[in-house]
Structure formats: structure tokens, C-alpha cells
Amino acid sequence: PALTLPRVAAQAAAPQPPAGTTELRMVDFEVGQGDTPRWGQLLTVRYAGYVVLEDGSLEQFDSTFDGKGEFLIRHGNGQTIQGLELALHTMRRGGKRRV
């Protein structure tokens, strides 16, 4: 079956940091090469999501590395959380980043 994704406006506004945050912290482990993604571009993403527990430890809540495969999104249409949209907007193909 075909994959159908919603259309994105040609001049979509840049995503803004989530309400109540003052900054989005990002650490690049590998910068990658090529251009940064364009709004509306189809992206293939691999990720692991963690939540910080009260004692400061991390608990994984989701991951594409556990056999789910890659996550396919259209960049800038709100298909994912704002922090990830902001992080992806400045990444390059092959890059690895902690947000």
C-alpha cells in the first residue's frame, strides 16, 4: 500500500521552542554531511526516547533501534514533538545528536 502524508505549506513557519522552555539543548556526536532539511522534505529518522525519572535516572519509552525500523516524517508539519522538529532542522544527513 502507498504511504500518504499530509501536504505542507510551501512557506511553513519555523517551529518554536515548546512553551515554558528557555532553551533546547543539543549535543552533536556526529555532524553529518550535505544540506540541512527543507520544510516539507520527507525525512527518515532513527531515535531513542528517554524520560528523566525523579532520581535522575533515564528510562527508555520508545526506540526505532528495537526492531521498529526507521521513522518517516514530513519535516515541519507538526508530525512530531517540537523539540525534535527544531533539532532536525539544523541537522545534516548522517548526523547523530542528543536533544
Side-chain angles (χ1 to χ4, degrees):
L3 176 65
T4 304
L5 295 172
R7 292 182 174 250
V8 177
Q11 296 296 324
Q16 298 300 311
T21 60
T22 56
E23 65 179 282
L24 184 62
R25 293 179 287 184
M26 296 181 268
V27 177
D28 283 319
F29 297 107
E30 200 170 308
V31 174
Q33 298 180 355
D35 295 330
T36 57
R38 297 177 317 276
W39 296 117
Q41 183 175 350
L42 194 59
L43 304 178
T44 302
V45 180
R46 305 264 326 189
Y47 70 92
Y50 294 86
V51 62
V52 179
L53 302 176
E54 288 183 16
D55 65 1
S57 64
L58 298 176
E59 181 178 307
Q60 184 175 310
F61 64 86
D62 196 13
S63 175
T64 60
F65 297 101
D66 293 343
K68 286 173 70 173
E70 298 167 328
F71 182 55
L72 194 62
I73 62 169
R74 178 105 26 214
H75 182 51
N77 75 347
Q79 224 176 331
T80 187
I81 60 173
Q82 287 180 328
L84 183 56
E85 285 283 358
L86 288 166
L88 290 172
H89 191 62
T90 56
M91 288 185 73
R92 299 179 185 282
R93 179 184 294 265
K96 295 181 181 178
R97 175 178 281 176
R98 177 182 293 157
V99 182

